[in-house]
Amino acid sequence: MARTEESQRREADRKEGWNARRWYEGIMAKQKTHMGGAVTETELLIANIDRSVTQEVRSVLDQATVDLYAETEDEWSATAPVDVWWDGAKACYASDGGHRIAAKEKNGRKKILCRVHRCDDAESALTLARLHAFGPANHAHGRARTPEDKRKTVRSCIALPEYAGESDRRIAEICKVGKWLVGQVRAEIAGAPKPAPRTVKADSPPKPAPTPASGRATTAEERVIESLTKPGVVEKLVERLESEDIVESPEVVARPPAKEHKALTDARGRVVPEPMVSLFRLGRAFAADLRGVLHEAADGVKSAAEESWGIGLAQMVPTLEADLKKVAQDAAASLPWCCCPHVDQATGEHLVEGKCRVCINNRGWLTRHNWHQLGDPIKQLIDEHAEPDAEREDA
């Protein structure tokens, strides 16, 4: 009898997990449906952006990350918009990008590139901004969340009336954390002892991921999103977007025409041909993002080492930091570093017929690894294309 009851309990637990995942995926699918046709990228005044939602999911603003983003602003400024949820009037909530905004302010900037999601009213904008901030915004990208960040996210989520009655599994799905952590936070709020996290034996085989089952729950946020997807709402938003009142609104500033920027140069001081600019910019942006991710990974291990369960991690931190630094250096050395001397400056075309002896597969650019394999005459030929006053990066 005891075995049957235990099997039934486990089956009920699995079904609850499936329904929680299905419920969350339904919300996010409707959110994407609402966003379709109502999302634009534009530069907004930082002073008009409400950052209260980002503060609900971060325990502190990490100054090291702000400094890193400030130093590498040119590498991400045009390719990493901040997600902002706008009610069509004045309310404008940022759901991520707190460190990027702070980096812009540190550099004295007044505006930042944003991905604006237009909503029907301020309440809907705030609800969708929170949904995005609690889960997707910082789960897969940006500065890695610390254990305290995750706890604060859970506390902020269950403090809201529309989520207070949800199960631990559903809160865990929203916040992208473990169910046991939600139980711990709720116990802390109630003043009860913390439930111990589930332990897995070292020799236990990994459990297969459960397959989502059918099931749907009706909640406050789901009803809000359903109201946003009613017939005619999207058309109304498009008409409002196209109207003169929206374009001229002082609260949202249209992105100005592209300004004349200083020509991009490669590591050896040559101006990169226009057709190849995107290759070099994307490569540098990736290298900067990777440095940030690895830096955050090291910070995450350091934070875990301060927990009672992670004391054993402290001894591996120096080795880990050295390894991550090596990974970042190797990755940067495998990206576009300088132009091949046989590339036409105006068209970006490779002028050598047949196999080029400088670049690989006639692609028109070299990595830092390739540079080390060249002879001095080829290096001098490359440096002859450099601008007179351009700075050169040492290999």
Side-chain angles (χ1 to χ4, degrees), residues 141-207:
H141 61 84
R143 180 180 180 274
R145 296 185 296 178
T146 65
E148 186 53 38
D149 288 340
K150 294 178 181 179
R151 288 179 177 276
K152 185 171 183 179
T153 300
V154 173
R155 285 194 293 268
S156 299
C157 185
I158 61 181
L160 300 174
E162 57 265 39
Y163 300 114
E166 299 294 345
S167 67
D168 288 358
R169 281 192 178 274
R170 289 187 177 172
I171 297 299
E173 285 288 335
I174 293 174
C175 300
K176 299 296 183 183
V177 298
K179 174 188 172 184
W180 66 270
L181 179 61
V182 181
Q184 278 193 354
V185 173
R186 277 186 161 150
E188 291 171 1
I189 295 174
K194 298 181 182 179
R198 184 180 61 181
T199 58
V200 180
K201 295 181 180 179
D203 57 349
S204 299
K207 294 184 179 180

Side-chain angles (χ1 to χ4, degrees), residues 6-321:
E6 177 66 14
S7 300
Q8 292 175 349
R9 185 192 65 76
R10 290 182 178 178
E11 181 66 21
D13 195 49
R14 281 198 296 271
K15 287 183 178 179
E16 182 186 0
W18 293 343
N19 290 336
R21 190 172 296 104
R22 186 81 172 183
W23 169 79
Y24 180 75
E25 289 174 353
I27 287 180
M28 298 311 296
K30 290 184 178 181
Q31 177 179 333
K32 292 178 181 178
T33 301
H34 163 68
M35 286 160 48
V39 180
T40 57
E41 286 192 6
T42 184
E43 285 189 343
L44 301 185
L45 291 171
I46 293 177
N48 291 339
I49 300 175
D50 188 329
R51 283 173 270 178
S52 59
V53 174
T54 65
Q55 295 168 0
E56 294 179 10
V57 297
R58 290 292 191 185
S59 57
V60 294
L61 190 70
D62 185 67
Q63 192 57 44
T65 302
V66 174
D67 294 341
L68 175 64
Y69 287 173
E71 293 174 3
T72 60
E73 179 186 351
D74 292 340
E75 299 175 359
W76 57 262
S77 181
T79 58
V82 174
D83 282 285
V84 169
W85 306 79
W86 180 46
D87 70 342
K90 293 185 177 181
C92 205
Y93 300 100
S95 58
D96 67 353
H99 291 91
R100 280 171 282 165
I101 295 175
K104 283 280 188 179
E105 289 180 327
K106 180 179 179 180
N107 289 343
R109 308 290 187 256
K110 301 297 182 182
K111 300 178 183 178
I112 189 170
L113 180 63
C114 297
R115 184 184 295 112
V116 181
H117 307 269
R118 286 172 171 78
C119 304
D120 199 38
D121 51 44
E123 182 180 357
S124 302
L126 181 57
T127 297
L128 291 173
R130 280 172 168 160
L131 273 175
H132 187 251
F134 288 160
N138 294 294
H139 173 63
H141 61 84
R143 180 180 180 274
R145 296 185 296 178
T146 65
E148 186 53 38
D149 288 340
K150 294 178 181 179
R151 288 179 177 276
K152 185 171 183 179
T153 300
V154 173
R155 285 194 293 268
S156 299
C157 185
I158 61 181
L160 300 174
E162 57 265 39
Y163 300 114
E166 299 294 345
S167 67
D168 288 358
R169 281 192 178 274
R170 289 187 177 172
I171 297 299
E173 285 288 335
I174 293 174
C175 300
K176 299 296 183 183
V177 298
K179 174 188 172 184
W180 66 270
L181 179 61
V182 181
Q184 278 193 354
V185 173
R186 277 186 161 150
E188 291 171 1
I189 295 174
K194 298 181 182 179
R198 184 180 61 181
T199 58
V200 180
K201 295 181 180 179
D203 57 349
S204 299
K207 294 184 179 180
T211 304
S214 60
R216 178 175 174 275
T218 302
T219 59
E221 61 273 15
E222 192 170 10
R223 291 194 294 271
V224 169
I225 297 174
E226 284 181 350
S227 68
L228 299 176
T229 57
K230 290 181 179 179
V233 172
V234 173
E235 289 78 2
K236 180 180 178 182
L237 290 171
V238 172
E239 291 177 2
R240 186 181 299 177
L241 178 62
E242 294 175 347
S243 67
E244 294 184 357
D245 292 340
I246 294 299
V247 174
E248 297 177 358
S249 172
E251 304 301 330
V252 176
V253 181
R255 190 175 183 181
K259 299 179 181 179
E260 285 290 333
H261 293 288
K262 184 179 179 181
L264 180 69
T265 57
D266 64 14
R268 302 305 299 174
R270 175 183 175 177
V271 174
V272 178
E274 186 62 30
M276 299 175 63
V277 167
S278 61
L279 292 175
F280 280 79
R281 288 195 184 280
L282 291 173
R284 293 176 183 181
F286 172 79
D289 289 344
L290 181 62
R291 288 196 301 270
V293 169
L294 297 178
H295 176 74
E296 291 158 9
D299 285 347
V301 175
K302 290 179 182 178
S303 299
E306 296 175 358
E307 301 285 347
S308 58
W309 49 267
I311 295 176
L313 296 172
Q315 60 186 355
M316 65 171 289
V317 170
T319 303
L320 176 65
E321 289 181 327

